[in-house]
Amino acid sequence: VQVGARVLVHGENLGTIRYAGTTSFQTGKWVGVELDDQLGKNNGVVQGKRYFECRSNHGVFVRPAHIKI
C-alpha cells in the first residue's frame, strides 16, 4: 500500500491512496483514499483530525483488504 497509488475500493470505486497507517478513530491499519467521484464520507478529516486533503465527500477510509491496486 503506497500513497499515490491508484486503487479500486470495494470493487467498484476508483481513487488514489492519500494516507496509509493507523488512526485515532479506530484501531488497526487504515487506508485513506481520495475517490474520483463524490461518493466518499469526508474530506480527509475525521473527528477533527486531518489525515489527508481532498475535496468534500471524496475521502473514505477503508481497511487494506478492501482495496485492489
Side-chain angles (χ1 to χ4, degrees):
V1 176
Q2 186 174 0
V3 172
R6 296 284 293 159
V7 293
L8 191 61
V9 179
H10 296 296
E12 59 185 351
N13 301 316
L14 285 172
T16 304
I17 295 176
R18 298 294 183 209
Y19 177 85
T22 58
T23 66
S24 60
F25 61 81
Q26 191 68 263
T27 59
K29 304 258 184 198
W30 288 90
V31 179
V33 179
E34 179 181 3
L35 299 174
D36 292 355
D37 297 318
Q38 194 173 354
L39 300 169
K41 297 180 178 179
N42 59 61
N43 65 348
V45 175
V46 177
Q47 296 178 353
K49 182 172 179 181
R50 176 164 298 286
Y51 293 92
F52 62 94
E53 289 194 29
C54 73
R55 294 167 288 168
S56 270
N57 297 318
H58 283 259
V60 65
F61 280 88
V62 295
R63 296 290 188 179
H66 294 161
I67 60 168
K68 184 174 183 178
I69 295 173

